[in-house]
Amino acid sequence: MARNIQSLERAAAMLRLLAGGERRLGLSDIASSLGLAKGTAHGILRTLQQEGFVEQDDASGRYQLGAELLRLGTTYLDVHELRARALVWADDLARSSGESVYLGVLHQQGVLIVHHVFRPDDSRQVLEIGAMQPLHSTALGKVLSAYDPVAHSEALEADRKAFTDRTVCEPEDFEHILDVTRARGYAADVEETWEGVASLAAPIHDRRRMPVGAVGITGAVERLCRSDDEGALRPELIAAVRDCARAVSRDLGAGRF
């Protein structure tokens, strides 16, 4: 059995201590509460302080939780709220489109899938929550890159791999795609990431009108694209995805788009 790392256990205990009880605690209080030597407690506090997880009051010298923990907690709550608000609308989109629905957010130069609704048929499917998708080739990634400045920068800095002969990798061509995405309000991926697979996605905004994620559908090219126009997505599916994104955005307080 793998052994726990003692220093991390002590740091976690210290954060829990600071999170409860008094707002600020001194070094002696922290050390005695956790049964640690003052030198050990001070070393852990100094490291947590450098990482932004703990702050020290200049006047009293006492310690409290830092802003970085608030940022991490807010990120978790934002994703949790996004997923909760999108559940019903994603189910409705899967039923109306007959395709798999994905909800994605920006994470470490990629798209993290935080919700996945199976295609409503009897086919064998694999749950992809927690999977990562590239920013530059997928519909979800293009939407995030078009509307989120951080995602935009990360997409340009990342290694834009050519997954198929349709993948757009050159910066100028990629920027043009993002311009088109913003102009029409959705992004498309027709065999740019996987052969025979197409997807489309639209942005989700929060109450501050900030982009917080994207929702889209993925399926076989012959189902998502028009038979009379190669590479053109079916307009009723585009409308359904955009309606879903607007509905989730409204539930997050974004108002009408």
Side-chain angles (χ1 to χ4, degrees):
M1 180 182 294
R3 297 176 58 186
N4 292 341
I5 300 174
Q6 188 180 55
S7 59
L8 292 179
E9 289 181 330
R10 289 173 171 176
M14 200 170 285
L15 292 174
R16 293 192 195 98
L17 180 65
L18 291 171
E22 296 183 28
R23 177 174 172 79
R24 293 173 179 163
L25 293 173
L27 174 60
S28 297
D29 298 324
I30 294 171
S32 61
S33 296
L34 299 178
L36 299 175
K38 281 188 177 181
T40 301
H42 185 256
I44 295 172
L45 283 168
R46 186 172 62 249
T47 301
L48 291 173
Q49 186 177 0
Q50 289 173 348
E51 296 299 325
F53 296 140
V54 164
E55 295 174 355
Q56 186 178 27
D57 181 64
D58 292 334
S60 67
R62 290 175 173 266
Y63 294 90
Q64 64 184 22
L65 295 180
E68 181 64 12
L69 274 180
L70 176 62
R71 187 190 69 80
L72 292 175
T74 301
T75 299
Y76 169 78
L77 291 174
D78 284 348
V79 171
H80 182 72
E81 182 183 10
L82 171 63
R83 185 175 182 277
R85 297 287 185 179
L87 289 177
V88 173
W89 298 112
D91 285 345
D92 287 347
L93 178 58
R95 282 192 295 269
S96 65
S97 67
E99 301 296 343
S100 300
V101 176
Y102 294 88
L103 185 69
V105 298
L106 175 66
H107 181 68
Q108 296 180 349
Q109 292 191 324
V111 182
L112 174 66
I113 303 302
V114 297
H115 187 54
H116 174 201
V117 183
F118 283 164
R119 184 170 64 254
D121 59 21
D122 295 328
S123 62
R124 183 178 179 181
Q125 300 173 63
V126 177
L127 189 65
E128 295 188 41
I129 293 176
M132 293 291 293
Q133 293 186 3
L135 284 170
H136 70 287
S137 63
T138 62
L140 292 171
K142 292 177 190 177
V143 163
L144 294 174
S145 300
Y147 289 91
D148 185 339
V150 176
H152 179 218
S153 297
E154 294 194 353
L156 291 176
E157 293 171 3
D159 178 22
R160 291 180 300 281
K161 177 181 177 181
F163 298 104
T164 74
D165 58 6
R166 292 174 176 259
T167 309
V168 175
C169 300
E170 293 300 319
E172 289 186 4
D173 296 333
F174 182 63
E175 290 284 12
H176 174 69
I177 287 176
L178 299 188
D179 288 340
V180 172
T181 296
R182 285 186 288 266
R184 64 189 185 184
Y186 72 91
D189 164 14
V190 180
E191 297 189 286
E192 293 180 47
T193 311
W194 303 282
E195 295 283 355
V197 176
S199 63
L200 69 104
I204 296 172
H205 297 81
D206 65 6
R207 62 184 62 86
R208 299 161 297 177
R209 295 294 182 101
M210 297 295 292
V212 293
V215 63
I217 61 174
T218 298
V221 170
E222 57 266 24
R223 295 197 305 267
L224 266 66
C225 295
R226 295 169 50 180
S227 59
D228 60 340
D229 188 355
E230 183 180 357
L233 295 165
R234 291 166 50 194
E236 66 272 21
L237 294 179
I238 296 171
V241 170
R242 295 192 67 193
D243 286 347
C244 177
R246 282 192 287 259
V248 179
S249 297
R250 286 196 300 269
D251 279 0
L252 289 171
R256 296 186 63 85
F257 272 84

